[in-house]
Amino acid sequence: MPKTLTKSLTPAGTLYRGREGQWSWVAHRITGVVIFFFLLVHVLDTSLVRVSPEAYDAVIASYKNPIMGLGELGLVAAIVFHAFNGIRVILVDFWKKGPKYHRQMLWSVIGLWAVVMIAFSIRHLSHVFGG
Amino acid sequence: MATPTIESPRSGRVSPGYSRTPGSRGNFEMVAWLFMRLSGAILVVLIFVHLYVNLVAGDGISGIDFGFVAGKWADPVWQIWDLTLLWLSMLHGTNGIRVIINDYAEKNSTRMWLKGVLYTSTVVIVVLGTLVIFTFDPCPVIDGVAHVADYCPAP
């Protein structure tokens, strides 16, 4: 391949540098969007309490199966990451040493997230599969 | 020859080459940035308690039905809790989606349409949720038939 063509295909310089900072930002966006769309549905299904007790119970009963149970686990995983990483973002912005320790704080976020999710999974899956 | 001045990064001045629309939006973006951090910190507490009470304590997800909701909203503390949760999470989420739309939708008309849909959904959901919390009746009478539950007066 001629050298000039190869060169023209190379993207221009970018501000994004990958690594912990950028990937945590990507994960924060994705989890945020997921949580927002769940929230819209969550308000709509809860509003069924105003239609009738039977309507609400029917829809909630349709959620009580293993597939939705695993979906709830994924939702809680997204919320817990977004919450812990959000605290990290606040610390990066307001704590004097935040920017210096942002990588260490991300690994703390992931560690805490894992601990919370292991505990929650045991509890939630026993409700979902234990009947 | 005058020395060119470089504005401080936080002066709010954006170089014309980086501005999509003419005119200043004041300090709206700074207020929005601050709101995300303040509401975020409060939401962590509100949502973790919400998840614990609804999914971890008692029978967890298996225990959720109309009676569970009625039991919670019989207490004004949970009504205010859920109302605050509804408003803060919807405003926090709407601002997050607004920022994402601004980042990825390059055409003015695309941004306008997406944000129009977003703001309409937000108003509908917040108004609906607020009305539901305040007009909720734990013992409704539907078509002359009273709801039967141990916390309702006998018909």
Side-chain angles (χ1 to χ4, degrees):
Chain A
M1 190 180 283
K3 203 174 182 182
T4 47
L5 184 59
T6 315
K7 201 174 180 182
S8 70
L9 288 172
T10 309
T14 168
L15 284 169
Y16 299 117
R17 296 296 166 96
R19 297 186 56 106
E20 295 90 339
Q22 190 194 338
W23 291 116
S24 63
W25 172 85
V26 169
H28 204 75
R29 288 210 151 178
I30 294 172
T31 51
V33 172
V34 168
I35 296 163
F36 183 75
F37 282 102
F38 163 76
L39 180 58
L40 300 181
V41 179
H42 185 53
V43 174
L44 290 175
D45 61 30
T46 305
S47 296
L48 289 171
V49 296
R50 199 65 190 79
V51 175
S52 75
E54 291 74 24
Y56 181 77
D57 286 348
V59 169
I60 293 300
S62 75
Y63 290 170
K64 289 174 182 173
N65 63 66
I67 293 170
M68 293 304 279
L70 292 173
E72 286 145 9
L73 201 63
L75 175 75
V76 171
I79 291 171
V80 173
F81 174 81
H82 198 87
F84 288 167
N85 192 57
I87 294 169
R88 171 179 162 271
V89 169
I90 292 173
L91 288 171
V92 168
D93 286 344
F94 292 107
W95 177 38
K96 195 167 66 177
K97 292 182 180 169
K100 185 181 171 188
Y101 293 113
H102 82 93
R103 285 185 195 84
Q104 289 88 332
M105 287 196 290
L106 179 63
W107 292 110
S108 308
V109 163
I110 292 169
L112 275 175
W113 173 85
V115 170
V116 170
M117 286 316 295
I118 289 167
F120 178 75
S121 301
I122 295 168
R123 182 80 179 149
H124 187 65
L125 293 178
S126 72
H127 286 136
V128 172
F129 292 98
Chain B
M1 187 179 148
T3 312
T5 52
I6 297 172
E7 298 294 342
S8 140
R10 287 174 187 160
S11 65
R13 301 273 184 91
V14 176
S15 171
Y18 291 97
S19 183
R20 277 171 171 152
T21 46
S24 166
R25 299 200 61 194
N27 58 359
F28 174 79
E29 291 297 344
M30 194 276 278
V31 172
W33 175 90
L34 191 61
F35 171 77
M36 290 309 263
R37 276 130 190 93
L38 288 174
S39 61
I42 300 167
L43 281 165
V44 171
V45 177
L46 291 177
I47 292 176
F48 277 19
V49 171
H50 180 78
L51 290 176
Y52 184 84
V53 170
N54 293 13
L55 296 182
V56 178
D59 294 329
I61 192 86
S62 315
I64 295 181
D65 58 10
F66 182 85
F68 179 85
V69 180
K72 273 186 92 177
W73 285 349
D75 185 347
V77 172
W78 285 123
Q79 283 188 310
I80 298 298
W81 193 282
D82 287 355
L83 186 73
T84 314
L85 192 49
L86 171 74
W87 278 74
L88 283 184
S89 59
M90 280 305 294
L91 292 177
H92 185 102
T94 300
N95 188 54
I97 303 291
R98 179 188 71 86
V99 170
I100 290 174
I101 291 171
N102 281 343
D103 273 359
Y104 300 119
E106 292 184 19
K107 274 175 68 183
N108 285 346
S109 57
T110 310
R111 280 202 308 283
M112 193 195 75
W113 275 106
L114 288 175
K115 285 192 266 186
V117 171
L118 173 68
Y119 298 151
T120 307
S121 316
T122 301
V123 170
V124 169
I125 293 291
V126 169
V127 169
L128 174 71
T130 305
L131 284 175
V132 167
I133 292 173
F134 283 123
T135 65
F136 176 70
D137 181 359
C139 303
V141 178
I142 296 161
D143 297 331
V145 182
H147 178 56
V148 180
D150 51 11
Y151 51 80
C152 291

